[in-house]
Amino acid sequence: MNAADLNFNAKLAAVDRLQDKYLATPRDAQLRSYLDRLLQRDDQGNPLPKARLFNKAGDARGIAVVEPAGGGKTSLVLHGLKTHPALQPRDAAHQPWVGVRVPSPPTAKNLGLEILKASGYPAVSRRSVTEYDITQKVRDHFKLRGTAVLWIDEAHDLFGAGSQHKVDVSLKILRNLMQGEDAVSVVLSGIESLWQIASCDAQVTRRYWRLPLAEVSPHSDRKALLKVIANFCDAAGMRPPVDADLVDRLVHASRNRFGRCIENILAALEAAASDDADELMINHFAESWGMQEGCGMGQNVFLARHWAKIDLGEAQLNWEGAP
């Protein structure tokens, strides 16, 4: 596409459309293989929308998808569940998977009510039910709707807040849902503290497979990131940048996390579109990233000469050298 084919408004609209675009990566196949192992199979080996039981006691298994913030794990799991062939609803009454985000405050009761709501259950008075009542309602409703997988996003909030007793209550409820003839498989996604906290319980390490997601590398992922940038620029009617070290700076600025890399590319494209630019340039990355981080020019990874020495801690940027 020629840059001249898109005017100012069209470029901005194209960037907005890119925000909704899902990028497939090798991580999708990795998650798919884990999901397949959670489910029962037919005689031909095809996954079925029913949790697989792994022992005589009738216990299902789960997955803990662990990655630092900004890696893209939420989008990964959502896409994996929405596109899995065995988890497509047959009709309006069939709900093969249910997904929720840990509510605030992150109590077991609030989580249970959130699950009921997401599964289409009529409103329940919080005061009139106990955790046990809610768990039973969830089990019964999952059976009615044919639910095989429960996904809990930001699960570290559930296990990282409150006393050990509250954590134990949450784990007990999940274990209950994963047991018996109508058991469901549970997918937990969260930051690294999720596994650090939950794995203190031996039953968690026995019931869940940990799926750690690798960091982005400027070496092994260079071609893939350059392709993303080129494709996005083409869609927005711009020429891609030519800076040799752009990918290295991008990966460092994104804390080696895939999701943040994509966000920073899109933010730079928006800055370029706002300038009605015909070419995406490293200055557009510097502008958008500087706005997001609130840093000065000397701390801007896309401007500093010794950018690799900039310490990108989560709390604040610490400069260890001269620009």
Side-chain angles (χ1 to χ4, degrees):
M1 178 181 296
N2 191 298
D5 292 341
L6 295 183
N7 60 28
F8 170 77
N9 289 329
K11 288 175 183 176
L12 287 173
V15 174
D16 287 342
R17 287 192 296 272
L18 288 171
Q19 299 278 355
D20 298 324
K21 183 180 179 62
Y22 182 81
L23 296 177
T25 70
R27 305 178 346 155
D28 293 277
Q30 185 183 12
L31 175 63
R32 171 65 186 273
S33 69
Y34 274 63
L35 290 173
D36 284 350
R37 293 175 63 189
L38 291 181
L39 302 173
Q40 294 184 22
R41 305 183 184 95
D42 62 19
D43 293 338
Q44 285 72 47
N46 300 308
L48 297 170
K50 193 169 180 62
R52 179 183 173 193
L53 304 181
F54 284 81
N55 53 35
K56 294 181 179 179
D59 293 333
R61 289 279 177 89
I63 305 171
V65 183
V66 179
E67 186 180 32
K73 57 189 170 297
T74 297
S75 297
L76 172 71
V77 176
L78 177 60
H79 184 264
L81 292 171
K82 286 177 64 175
T83 59
H84 195 288
L87 300 177
Q88 304 304 305
R90 296 187 301 267
D91 50 52
H94 184 218
Q95 193 175 17
W97 66 273
V98 171
V100 297
R101 177 168 291 186
V102 173
S104 180
T107 65
K109 179 178 283 191
N110 284 344
L111 176 64
L113 292 173
E114 195 72 15
I115 294 171
L116 284 175
K117 179 181 177 181
S119 64
Y121 195 88
V124 175
S125 171
R126 189 181 189 282
R127 295 181 179 179
S128 65
V129 291
T130 65
E131 285 92 345
Y132 175 81
D133 296 329
I134 294 173
T135 303
Q136 194 56 50
K137 290 180 185 296
V138 170
R139 284 188 66 97
D140 293 343
H141 200 57
F142 278 179
K143 180 179 180 180
L144 178 67
R145 304 214 63 181
T147 300
V149 176
L150 168 64
W151 169 36
I152 302 175
D153 193 25
E154 306 291 345
H156 53 271
D157 287 339
L158 186 65
F159 302 127
S163 64
Q164 183 59 46
H165 171 71
K166 291 183 178 179
V167 172
D168 290 341
V169 170
S170 299
L171 289 172
K172 184 176 181 181
I173 288 175
L174 294 181
R175 285 198 297 268
N176 183 287
L177 295 176
M178 297 170 73
Q179 293 174 326
E181 182 181 353
D182 302 308
V184 298
S185 294
V186 175
V187 177
L188 305 174
S189 55
I191 60 176
E192 291 166 314
S193 61
L194 163 63
W195 189 253
Q196 294 167 1
I197 296 168
S199 62
C200 292
D201 186 323
Q203 295 201 47
V204 171
T205 55
R206 182 170 63 85
R207 293 176 185 275
Y208 291 85
W209 297 314
R210 182 186 179 191
L211 174 56
L213 299 175
E215 291 187 338
V216 174
S217 164
H219 307 293
S220 60
D221 297 304
R222 184 180 304 277
K223 288 184 179 179
L225 288 172
L226 286 173
K227 183 177 180 180
V228 169
I229 294 171
N231 289 342
F232 279 12
C233 284
D234 184 63
M238 301 180 205
R239 296 186 300 277
V242 296
D243 306 85
D245 63 351
L246 174 62
V247 168
D248 303 82
R249 291 176 184 259
L250 172 64
V251 172
H252 184 65
S254 305
R255 278 84 167 176
N256 296 86
R257 296 169 198 170
F258 176 74
R260 286 190 176 184
C261 284
I262 303 305
E263 290 174 1
N264 285 326
I265 294 170
L266 290 170
L269 271 173
E270 184 174 3
S274 297
D275 289 343
D276 197 15
D278 292 334
E279 179 181 349
L280 178 63
M281 304 181 70
I282 198 167
N283 284 346
H284 296 125
F285 284 87
E287 176 188 341
S288 58
W289 191 82
M291 289 176 59
Q292 175 184 299
E293 299 287 338
C295 65
M297 291 182 60
Q299 294 176 310
N300 194 309
V301 171
F302 294 99
L303 295 177
R305 182 184 305 171
H306 302 294
W307 55 268
K309 293 183 178 180
I310 300 177
D311 180 14
L312 299 180
E314 289 301 316
Q316 61 183 6
L317 295 175
N318 298 310
W319 178 239
E320 296 182 349

